[in-house]
Amino acid sequence: MGWDDVSRWQPVDLAAAFKMGDAVQPVDVRDIGYRDAEEQIRGAIRIDPMEFESQIGDLPTGRELIFYCDRPGEATSLKIAMWSFDNGRSRVGVLVGGWSAWQDAGYPVEPKPA
């Protein structure tokens, strides 16, 4: 697998995909920042980045999985997206700029589950 197998989504593109009803699924893989956070991208599913190998199989199929994190260069989300691709998920991507870029753009968020 190469980096070019992982799509790179700008926040504006993901927001547009939501509006158009495209089959995308945001996946929150923030590490330390998740514990302190009160919000997540609306509709996101949480995967613990330390346990992702055992949790990827629980994610829905038939949708492009868009991973987002809070590390520079999308380090965590890219690692997990590449692993997911190598292990049978053909449609994976990362949110460029991650959680900060989504929040800074003012796109929809929701309270994270308790």
Side-chain angles (χ1 to χ4, degrees), residues 52-72:
F52 73 89
E53 292 176 3
S54 66
Q55 297 177 2
I56 293 294
D58 296 334
L59 294 175
T61 56
R63 296 177 165 213
E64 182 161 358
L65 303 174
I66 311 299
F67 297 95
Y68 70 93
C69 65
D70 53 5
R71 298 208 35 222

Side-chain angles (χ1 to χ4, degrees), residues 2 5 10 20 24 26 31 38 40 51 59 67 69 103 105:
D5 293 316
Q10 296 294 327
M20 295 178 66
V24 293
D31 41 335
E38 296 180 5
Q40 65 183 19
E51 304 288 330
L59 294 175
F67 297 95
C69 65
Q103 216 176 15

